[in-house]
Amino acid sequence: MKKYWLAAAGVVAAVAIAAPSAVGAPTESSTTSTTSTSSTTSVTSLAAGTAARTEPAKVTPAKAAVPAPKPVRTVRPGERVDAGGGFTVWLTRDGKHWTGPDGYENFRSVVDGNIDRSRPGVSHQSEGDATGAFHSGLYYGTRKAGRVELSDAEGHKTVATLIALPGRPDWGVWYAHTGPADGNGGSSLGVTLYDRAGKLLAELPGFDFPAGRG
């Protein structure tokens, strides 16, 4: 009789233990289901967030690659500027000086009356051969010079380097290198002067004359 009571008590205890488990089962299942949904949503959200962060990364480098323009370099009177290709350029109060690989010195005056500084203009001197051409000249008649471009008959453009003396004078010097010169030493290229806002100030069409003149 004692053994039966213990067995019956064990059955009751088993039922008592099993009952909460049965009641709690849906809650556990619900929790698991919720966790799974949350996990799925979280993964989806993470994937979407990653895509959102990746998109700007493709655009930002392109914007950063554009440097701030520095159109005119200020140089001291007589300061030698290495213009590349064996050419040296310097400025004095009376004009532009330069030498080439041959060491011969050239000069272009801004005070001899040969240029009209009352309005914007450009000049062009060039020399070159089958290996390339060096171009340089004066820009004048403006304190707002921003860019000088060389252009050929096919529309190819070369942007020149600009230098000027301190004090924002109304003239300065430009220089550039291009590919092999034509029969006129590269003087057939047109020259265009723009201000810092990109407005056209003056243009000089190409001419068929020997190099070193203009």
Side-chain angles (χ1 to χ4, degrees), residues 34-95:
T34 302
T35 302
S36 176
T37 303
S38 175
S39 175
T40 303
T41 303
S42 176
V43 171
T44 304
S45 176
L46 179 61
T50 303
R53 289 192 296 273
T54 302
E55 188 62 26
K58 297 178 181 179
V59 178
T60 301
K63 292 181 180 179
V66 181
K70 296 181 179 179
V72 183
R73 172 186 171 185
T74 301
V75 297
R76 300 183 306 275
E79 178 183 347
R80 265 54 175 176
V81 176
D82 182 0
F87 289 88
T88 301
V89 180
W90 67 98
L91 284 64
T92 58
R93 299 296 179 186
D94 55 355

Side-chain angles (χ1 to χ4, degrees), residues 44-199:
T44 304
S45 176
L46 179 61
T50 303
R53 289 192 296 273
T54 302
E55 188 62 26
K58 297 178 181 179
V59 178
T60 301
K63 292 181 180 179
V66 181
K70 296 181 179 179
V72 183
R73 172 186 171 185
T74 301
V75 297
R76 300 183 306 275
E79 178 183 347
R80 265 54 175 176
V81 176
D82 182 0
F87 289 88
T88 301
V89 180
W90 67 98
L91 284 64
T92 58
R93 299 296 179 186
D94 55 355
K96 164 200 168 192
H97 304 255
W98 76 101
T99 60
D102 58 6
Y104 183 76
E105 183 175 330
N106 301 276
F107 173 67
R108 187 72 162 88
S109 176
V110 295
V111 296
D112 62 2
N114 286 326
I115 61 172
D116 180 7
R117 291 166 60 181
S118 66
R119 59 182 181 179
V122 286
S123 71
H124 182 193
Q125 296 84 46
S126 63
E127 51 190 291
D129 52 29
T131 63
F134 175 71
H135 305 265
S136 62
L138 297 169
Y139 65 85
Y140 51 87
T142 179
R143 288 180 167 83
K144 298 180 179 180
R147 188 172 81 255
V148 169
E149 285 183 353
L150 286 164
S151 56
D152 62 20
E154 298 179 350
H156 300 130
K157 298 183 183 299
T158 301
V159 178
T161 298
L162 307 186
I163 58 176
L165 294 174
R168 297 177 62 82
D170 65 347
W171 69 277
V173 168
W174 64 267
Y175 64 85
H177 290 267
T178 65
D182 56 22
N184 298 299
S187 57
S188 61
L189 298 177
V191 184
T192 309
L193 171 65
Y194 299 90
D195 70 8
R196 290 189 292 272
K199 177 184 177 181

Side-chain angles (χ1 to χ4, degrees), residues 5-34:
W5 180 83
L6 290 174
V11 171
V12 172
V15 172
I17 293 171
S21 177
V23 172
T27 303
E28 183 179 354
S29 175
S30 176
T31 301
T32 303
S33 176
T34 302

